[in-house]
Amino acid sequence: ASDVSAAKQRLIEAVDRLQARLDRDKGQGDNWRKYLRLDELAAELKKPAGPSLETLGAVYAKFAAGHEGLKLACFVEVRRALRQFIVRSRAVDDASLPEKLGQALDELPPLIQAYRESHDPAVAGRIQAVLEWLDLMDRGRQVVATVEREFGQSNLFVEVSADLLAKGFTKPVDTTEPVREIILGTDVRGTGHIVGRRTLRLLPASDRAELAIEVTGSIAADTVGYNGPARIYSQGDTPFTARKVVRISAAGVEILPADADARTRTKIQDVDVTCRGNCVEKIAWKRTFKQKPAAEWEASRRAEFRLNRRIDREADERLNELRTAFEERFRRPLLDRDLFPEVLDFRTDEQALRVEARRGGPFALAAAGEPPAPPAGDLTVRLHQTFFNNMAEGALAGMFLREERFREIVTDLLGRLPPELESEDSEPWAVQFPPARPITVRFDDGRAVVQFRGEAYEKGDRRYAAMDVTAAYRLERRDAGFVLLREAEPTAFPPDFDPQKDHLSVSQQTLRRLLERRFGKIFRPEIALEPVELEGDWAAAGPLTVASIQMDDGWLAIGLRAAPSDAVAMP
């Protein structure tokens, strides 16, 4: 009973947090409350005799209806807590629970061994289902922890070389600005010519990425100082270095103020006085040279101030765009949808910016062991199939997705709709994804196998049952680069269908033809890994070409090189 009470308390707390979240959006919040029957759920949880499991089951069906908005973390938390409470409550009177527990524990070892050997996402999904059931029953905690330790390693590694990053920032600096300062009571006017070079340097940091925009150069100033009757004509040379540091971590992007260091040295060309008399002019010369060290120190500080202001003004607009994009297009959307990686570490050394991440999800497997060695390249990615599969499950599992919305999502992500996703059909389609493994990929032995799973499909006013579409590609090296070749036409079959024994119904045959024709266009016969064209300031680095690629043991390792090279590695 204690596990049921604990589950109920978690559910009550999750509902309270959801209610508070909906209170912040009165219009939509009230609509969600009505649709999800939240008031009814809250009332059931307060009943002294306990809630009606039938009513809670009906409420759960609302939370699991597949609407895109229900993927927000606040809804997901309640759905999971509600399911846990319902399952545990029903198990109280289940006399067969010990037998089921034994079967689950006996099933795990062969499943784990099979997954070690095959890297099959379907086997991983079965392991995940067993672990989730054990947790729902509040049993087998040690077993769950053991499995999570083995299959809980980071499953994404990205490295960007310092040279590639610097190419987006390196540029000459050559500008002229007016000088108007009051230095030790002297009104200094003239022009300053700034000549230098801007570049990017990586600073060693183990708990975040630190990037320093550095500007080195000198300011040549030609000025006249006005102090009473004296006119002081001088030329100044101010070598300087300036640095603006940007810190990147899972928490966001931090932009520090610029920090310049300048040393002004002046050469007095002439001192003139408006009144007559050698005595006055000698006094002016003497006073000018006496104050020269202090004036140079003050001029250095003023130069630092101007440099800091200029660098902040020029860099902050661009860096603020980076910070906003990181927060609004990456961090916040993933947090809102409970998709943010459990581990996201940034670090830098003098050679590269490195990112390490782990995306699992509730009881989902991540990588086991160390990743393959980094491939050669200026930009390298080592992606374990579980990172993609777990992200896809978190984003799409159980969702009902219409064609129009799918196109909007792809266009938003890519900035355009690929031609192969344009539909020639007059009737729109829709898919209901299953609650697990909606889209999976498997990397092994130089091959990539992609599977798209639909629990139900709609086309026009017709509805079809579950069907899985599978396509396999193999990697091939050609003179022009790497190519993914489709091994055969995509196949569409119902889940667990055996073509040697089972037969398709008329409806299934119709859906199969529709899916194979449609996915035959999406999964093209040949996919050339074209160079990646860089934009903006990074265009000077030229296109990034695929220098090496490997698909094995669940890992995709790809290296992109900024400059063409004959030393292209083949897996």
Side-chain angles (χ1 to χ4, degrees):
S2 61
D3 56 343
V4 176
S5 298
K8 182 178 180 180
Q9 185 59 36
R10 278 193 290 271
L11 175 57
I12 291 172
E13 293 172 357
V15 171
D16 288 343
R17 283 189 287 270
L18 176 57
Q19 295 278 26
R21 171 68 174 80
L22 296 179
D23 284 341
R24 298 198 293 269
D25 186 357
K26 289 296 184 181
Q28 289 297 322
D30 291 341
N31 292 337
W32 278 117
R33 280 193 183 91
K34 183 177 180 180
Y35 171 77
L36 295 171
R37 300 166 61 176
L38 278 183
D39 293 338
E40 189 175 353
L41 172 60
E44 287 290 331
L45 293 174
K46 292 178 181 178
K47 288 183 177 180
S52 163
L53 295 184
E54 181 179 355
T55 301
L56 264 56
V59 173
Y60 177 81
K62 292 288 188 180
F63 276 89
H67 300 301
E68 184 178 356
L70 292 173
K71 283 294 183 180
L72 292 176
C74 54
F75 296 119
V76 172
E77 181 188 21
V78 174
R79 187 184 76 236
R80 290 173 179 164
L82 184 55
R83 180 167 183 254
Q84 184 184 67
F85 177 73
I86 293 172
V87 171
R88 288 188 180 182
S89 297
R90 288 174 175 166
V92 170
D93 299 323
D94 187 355
S96 65
L97 183 59
E99 181 182 355
K100 293 177 180 177
L101 175 61
Q103 291 173 348
L105 294 176
D106 290 341
E107 186 181 5
L108 268 179
L111 281 174
I112 291 172
Q113 184 58 35
Y115 181 68
R116 290 190 187 113
E117 297 172 357
S118 68
H119 310 288
D120 187 348
V123 179
R126 181 56 193 158
I127 295 172
Q128 179 181 353
V130 173
L131 296 178
E132 184 178 12
W133 184 84
L134 289 172
D135 178 75
L136 287 171
M137 296 294 103
D138 196 25
R139 301 291 191 275
R141 293 182 181 179
Q142 185 174 354
V143 174
V144 173
T146 300
V147 175
E148 289 181 338
R149 276 196 300 272
E150 178 177 353
F151 297 97
Q153 307 305 311
S154 297
N155 47 12
L156 175 65
F157 297 83
V158 179
E159 297 183 5
V160 188
S161 73
D163 288 342
L164 177 58
L165 288 170
K167 288 177 180 178
F169 282 86
T170 300
K171 64 181 296 186
V173 176
D174 190 339
T175 186
T176 300
E177 64 178 9
V179 176
R180 181 71 185 270
E181 304 280 1
I182 303 296
I183 298 178
L184 300 182
T186 299
D187 184 3
V188 180
R189 306 178 189 182
T191 58
H193 184 199
I194 305 173
V195 177
R197 183 171 180 267
R198 186 190 75 186
T199 188
L200 183 78
R201 191 160 71 89
L202 300 182
L203 306 179
S206 60
D207 59 346
R208 59 181 179 260
E210 288 205 2
L211 301 83
I213 302 171
E214 294 187 342
V215 183
T216 58
S218 64
I219 306 172
D222 194 352
T223 62
V224 179
Y226 299 87
N227 192 325
R231 303 290 185 269
I232 306 164
Y233 299 87
S234 64
Q235 292 180 340
D237 180 53
T238 307
F240 68 87
T241 60
R243 170 183 289 183
K244 187 173 182 66
V245 174
V246 180
R247 295 172 176 168
I248 305 175
S249 69
V253 177
E254 181 184 6
I255 305 170
L256 275 61
D259 182 20
D261 180 64
R263 294 290 184 271
T264 299
R265 295 293 179 265
T266 57
K267 183 177 181 180
I268 307 301
Q269 302 295 312
D270 191 15
V271 177
D272 193 12
V273 292
T274 56
C275 58
R276 299 288 182 179
N278 291 334
C279 181
V280 174
E281 186 170 330
K282 288 180 180 180
I283 293 173
W285 272 98
K286 184 176 181 180
R287 183 179 179 185
T288 298
F289 276 101
K290 182 178 181 180
Q291 292 184 333
K292 184 172 179 287
E296 289 178 338
W297 185 91
E298 180 69 17
S300 300
R301 305 293 80 75
R302 297 298 180 89
E304 290 169 352
F305 175 80
R306 294 196 307 272
L307 287 166
N308 289 337
R309 183 176 57 186
R310 171 180 284 274
I311 292 171
D312 284 338
R313 183 176 65 246
E314 294 179 353
D316 280 355
E317 180 178 357
R318 181 179 179 186
L319 294 176
N320 282 327
E321 290 177 357
L322 169 66
R323 177 165 57 189
T324 300
F326 185 92
E327 180 65 25
E328 296 185 0
R329 295 185 62 84
F330 173 70
R331 187 172 181 273
R332 188 186 304 164
L334 294 185
L335 285 172
D336 286 346
R337 289 160 177 78
D338 198 27
L339 292 173
F340 201 79
E342 293 87 351
V343 173
L344 180 60
D345 293 333
F346 294 82
R347 62 182 184 275
T348 44
D349 52 41
E350 294 181 351
Q351 287 73 43
L353 183 155
R354 309 177 197 277
V355 183
E356 178 178 340
R358 184 187 78 237
R359 172 59 192 176
F363 311 104
L365 305 187
E370 295 296 319
D378 292 291
L379 170 60
T380 68
V381 178
R382 290 170 290 168
L383 171 76
H384 194 266
Q385 63 189 37
T386 55
F387 187 91
F388 175 88
N389 296 342
N390 295 340
M391 288 292 286
E393 180 164 319
L396 299 174
M399 183 187 292
F400 183 80
L401 186 64
R402 295 191 179 277
E403 179 181 17
E404 181 181 0
R405 178 56 182 151
F406 173 71
R407 291 182 177 183
E408 290 176 356
I409 294 172
V410 173
T411 302
D412 183 56
L413 289 173
L414 303 181
R416 62 182 181 86
L417 184 68
E420 54 267 27
L421 295 183
E422 295 178 358
S423 177
E424 300 175 356
D425 298 330
S426 58
E427 294 181 309
W429 58 262
V431 59
Q432 176 83 47
F433 287 108
R437 307 191 324 278
I439 302 176
T440 62
V441 64
R442 178 181 177 186
F443 301 119
D444 202 16
D445 197 25
R447 300 172 70 244
V449 180
V450 184
Q451 188 171 67
F452 180 100
R453 304 176 67 234
E455 191 172 68
Y457 296 87
E458 288 185 5
K459 187 169 180 59
D461 58 356
R462 299 179 300 280
R463 187 171 178 85
Y464 299 92
M467 191 79 73
D468 300 340
V469 182
T470 305
Y473 286 87
R474 61 181 173 84
L475 182 65
E476 182 175 293
R477 166 71 192 282
R478 295 179 179 174
D479 292 339
F482 292 96
V483 177
L484 292 174
L485 294 178
R486 196 178 67 193
E487 295 182 343
E489 292 287 339
T491 59
F493 289 108
D496 302 320
F497 183 86
D498 185 348
Q500 304 299 322
K501 301 178 181 179
D502 302 327
H503 299 281
L504 296 173
S505 67
V506 174
S507 175
Q508 288 174 329
Q509 292 179 32
T510 301
L511 177 60
R512 182 189 182 191
R513 287 193 297 269
L514 290 172
L515 291 176
E516 289 183 346
R517 183 174 69 248
R518 187 74 185 94
F519 280 89
K521 297 178 181 178
I522 295 175
F523 295 124
R524 292 175 291 163
E526 183 176 305
I527 302 175
L529 303 184
E530 303 286 352
V532 179
E533 296 289 344
L534 301 178
E535 298 180 353
D537 292 336
W538 273 273
L544 296 179
T545 57
V546 179
S548 64
I549 181 170
Q550 182 178 1
M551 298 185 294
D552 199 19
D553 293 334
W555 286 95
L556 166 67
I558 184 168
L560 302 175
R561 186 169 291 151
S565 173
D566 295 330
V568 179
M570 183 66 187

